[in-house]
Amino acid sequence: IKQQSISSLGVLKRNYSKVYPTAAKAVEDIPAGSTVLFGGFGLCGIPEGLINAVSENSGINKLTAVSNNAGIDGIGLGKLLNTRQVKRMVSSYVGENKEFARQYLSGELEVELMPQGTLAEKIRAGGAGIPAFYTATGFGTAIQHGGTPIKYNKDGTAGIEASPREVREFNGRHYLMEQSIVGDYALIKAWKADELGNLVFRESANNFNGPMATAAKTTIVEVEELVPVGELRPSEIHIPGIHVHRIVKNSNCQKRIEKLTVRNEGEMESDVAPAMLKRIRIIKRAAREFSDGMYANLGIGIPMLASNYIAPGITVHLQSENGILGLGPFPAKDKVDADLINAGKETVTVLPGGSFFSSDTSFAMIRGSRLDLTILGAMEVSQTGDLANWIIPGKMVKGMGGAMDLVSAANTKVVVTMDHCSKDGAPKILKQCTLPLTGVACVDRIITDKCVFDVMPGRGLLLRELAKGVTVEEVRSSTDCDFEVDGEVSETF
């Protein structure tokens, strides 16, 4: 019996190979109606060769596509949306794909939106054989209550709605139960692989590729470099080959950059538009929230720009949800790297001592309150610190991204930066938010172009600071709720 067993292993070694000659061959048996996990973040680390092969096989259709993003028009998963091969998208942030929004709002596409960290953990847990877990993310929001349209009818009413979540209390906090995700197939991208399927990712292209590699019945990986067994050091392998079933080499992969962003060395504040000058006022004030040695996450837009005004002598460790700790400034033109982007899909650099990791590890840091501070934008904030910043029902479909996870961390200070009023002059600080919530009673401080409010638990808003030239009366007339005034309030920025 022992002799026969050894002989069988020898035959397996001689005849079985995980390496496929083409992407088309690797995906050809994916049946219609499959649940497929697609790796990548934005356009960084997407398995574009495998996606192209799927798009050229019309028999692979009616897919449930699980992906953090939906690509952009005609690129990445945007290509499969154009060919109508996707029935349902399970995603976190889809703001850059206009065709996606059109199909969803017209009732052609089913869409299940969820917090980015919840999506990452659903995938990680699925790969670990854990059927469900509890998270504080989304408590008090539409994620808990359900009812968000998954599919619209032609008349604009909801045809399919998201289900409510089970809630349990642990140690005085409320948590939602989330069921894990296991794919029929995972299509992912790696930098290097050996013939056993051991994988190495490059820089921020790890993102969702890492957890997705472990969470499917069949994992198909597209790689830039295929090396012999033994060439990869065991210590550099990110995903062991036990998780990988098929390998395709793509030596001519086109690494696209969604938002090419470079350093403008000579730009002065006097060169920018008046509207931007108003925002620079907010940005500079937000930068005063940093302290030496702090770990912080900065949201897309105004918050991220605060890193340009960190005071000399202060070291702040900036974290990005897509798997970076130690973000540096935007790169010079000759240092741009398509594998190195932030959560806003902008090209960035990493400082000495920085590190890369997968999306599930990133959100473990966030939910575990390893961050001291998060700064993010808002559409609305209530007098009790409720936050709304992710959707305008029936009009704007972007998704919540990582915001719900960031504001749910128990011991992380949450600072909102925003224009005090909308473009039409309507207040954005309200008695109660009118838009779907990102978080309940989660905001600690609000910084606008007019003032700084602190949210005082059980009391409401306290006016702490004024912008130069702004009076308390002006703040009252542009704020749609009552607030207290600190006895030492003064113009500070």
Side-chain angles (χ1 to χ4, degrees):
I1 295 174
K2 186 175 181 181
Q3 287 266 348
Q4 188 176 7
S5 175
I6 293 171
S7 176
S8 298
L9 287 172
V11 171
L12 181 66
K13 184 176 180 181
R14 286 195 300 272
N15 296 334
Y16 177 73
S17 173
K18 294 183 178 182
V19 180
Y20 278 61
T22 65
K25 197 70 178 172
V27 304
E28 67 178 358
D29 63 344
I30 298 177
S34 295
T35 295
V36 183
L37 316 181
F38 291 90
F41 186 95
L43 300 182
C44 178
I46 63 171
E48 191 162 9
L50 293 172
I51 292 172
N52 290 343
V54 171
S55 73
E56 293 163 2
N57 187 331
S58 60
I60 307 174
N61 54 49
K62 299 179 182 177
L63 300 177
T64 294
V66 181
S67 173
N68 184 63
N69 309 96
I72 60 177
D73 295 314
I75 299 175
L77 282 185
K79 183 168 287 190
L80 302 188
L81 292 172
N82 287 349
T83 56
R84 302 297 195 275
Q85 289 170 274
V86 177
K87 178 184 178 183
R88 175 177 288 204
M89 284 290 310
V90 179
S91 300
S92 169
Y93 186 84
V94 292
E96 278 72 41
N97 194 315
K98 294 178 182 177
E99 176 60 16
F100 168 94
R102 189 201 66 75
Q103 288 187 25
Y104 172 51
L105 294 174
S106 65
E108 300 172 31
L109 178 68
E110 298 174 11
V111 176
E112 192 176 349
L113 290 171
M114 63 187 62
Q116 191 177 137
T118 297
L119 178 61
E121 187 64 12
K122 278 174 169 274
I123 295 163
R124 188 209 66 81
I130 299 170
F133 58 91
Y134 286 94
T135 175
T137 301
F139 175 75
T141 74
I143 299 298
Q144 175 196 339
H145 301 306
T148 301
I150 289 177
K151 184 178 182 181
Y152 282 102
N153 293 320
K154 296 298 182 183
D155 63 2
T157 59
I160 304 174
E161 294 183 339
S163 300
R165 303 296 199 265
E166 176 189 318
V167 179
R168 285 192 62 182
E169 185 176 332
F170 298 93
N171 301 319
R173 291 196 78 199
H174 292 95
Y175 293 79
L176 310 185
M177 190 184 80
E178 295 285 357
Q179 295 186 33
S180 304
I181 293 175
V182 176
D184 298 309
Y185 291 82
L187 306 187
I188 68 165
K189 167 76 180 298
W191 177 33
K192 294 180 180 180
D194 64 20
E195 293 170 344
L196 289 178
N198 294 308
L199 304 181
V200 178
F201 302 109
R202 185 173 182 272
E203 298 178 335
S204 65
N206 188 334
N207 51 63
F208 276 85
N209 283 302
M212 285 183 173
T214 72
K217 298 168 188 174
T218 301
T219 294
I220 308 173
V221 58
E222 172 184 326
V223 300
E224 297 173 46
E225 297 181 29
L226 182 61
V227 302
V229 174
E231 186 165 318
L232 299 177
R233 298 190 310 276
S235 59
E236 69 178 315
I237 292 168
H238 293 120
I239 296 293
I242 193 171
H243 296 293
V244 175
H245 305 89
R246 304 175 189 176
I247 308 165
V248 176
K249 183 179 179 182
N250 184 356
S251 302
N252 301 311
C253 63
Q254 183 175 358
K255 293 187 178 182
R256 303 174 189 269
I257 295 174
E258 196 165 340
K259 295 181 181 179
L260 177 61
T261 312
V262 297
R263 202 178 309 160
N264 294 318
E265 301 285 2
E267 186 175 69
M268 305 293 291
E269 286 185 16
S270 58
D271 299 328
V272 303
M276 189 59 195
L277 283 174
K278 182 177 72 169
R279 295 191 170 189
I280 287 175
R281 172 188 285 186
I282 302 172
I283 293 164
K284 285 183 172 181
R285 175 57 190 83
R288 284 163 46 190
E289 298 295 311
F290 297 130
S291 59
D292 194 31
M294 175 179 279
Y295 289 89
N297 180 289
L298 306 181
I300 299 169
I302 289 178
M304 180 57 68
L305 295 175
S307 62
N308 295 329
Y309 295 93
I310 296 173
I314 287 181
T315 298
V316 178
H317 308 281
L318 298 180
Q319 193 255 20
S320 187
E321 302 100 291
N322 59 313
I324 304 174
L325 186 62
L327 278 175
F330 296 129
K333 287 183 180 180
D334 61 344
K335 299 295 183 181
V336 167
D337 186 339
D339 286 331
L340 187 45
I341 65 167
N342 63 18
K345 290 94 174 179
E346 301 166 314
T347 47
V348 291
T349 60
V350 171
L351 297 175
S355 57
F356 302 106
F357 34 86
S358 59
S359 293
D360 56 315
T361 297
S362 179
F363 281 95
M365 295 176 187
I366 291 167
R367 286 191 308 274
S369 294
R370 303 301 181 189
L371 299 179
D372 301 296
L373 172 71
T374 183
I375 304 178
L376 68 171
M379 298 175 190
E380 296 176 345
V381 180
S382 79
Q383 62 184 346
T384 57
D386 297 345
L387 170 67
N389 74 349
W390 70 276
I391 190 171
I392 301 175
K395 294 182 180 179
M396 187 194 77
V397 184
K398 287 185 178 293
M400 63 285 291
M404 284 191 179
D405 304 278
L406 286 161
V407 302
S408 71
N411 300 313
T412 298
K413 183 177 181 180
V414 176
V415 175
V416 164
T417 56
M418 61 190 292
D419 291 328
H420 204 98
C421 298
S422 62
K423 291 180 181 179
D424 62 4
K428 296 171 67 174
I429 301 173
L430 312 170
K431 293 183 182 70
Q432 188 172 351
C433 293
T434 63
L435 296 172
L437 296 182
T438 305
V440 174
C442 59
V443 177
D444 296 297
R445 175 164 284 181
I446 308 167
I447 301 173
T448 77
D449 52 305
K450 296 182 183 297
C451 67
V452 175
F453 282 120
D454 279 348
V455 182
M456 311 300 289
R459 289 169 51 187
L461 298 181
L462 175 64
L463 180 63
R464 288 284 195 190
E465 303 173 32
L466 294 169
K468 291 180 180 178
V470 177
T471 64
V472 173
E473 290 70 28
E474 183 180 343
V475 174
R476 287 197 189 281
S477 67
S478 55
T479 305
D480 190 34
C481 63
D482 294 330
F483 57 83
E484 301 175 35
V485 180
D486 186 271
E488 299 181 359
V489 67
S490 61
E491 297 179 5
T492 63
F493 67 102

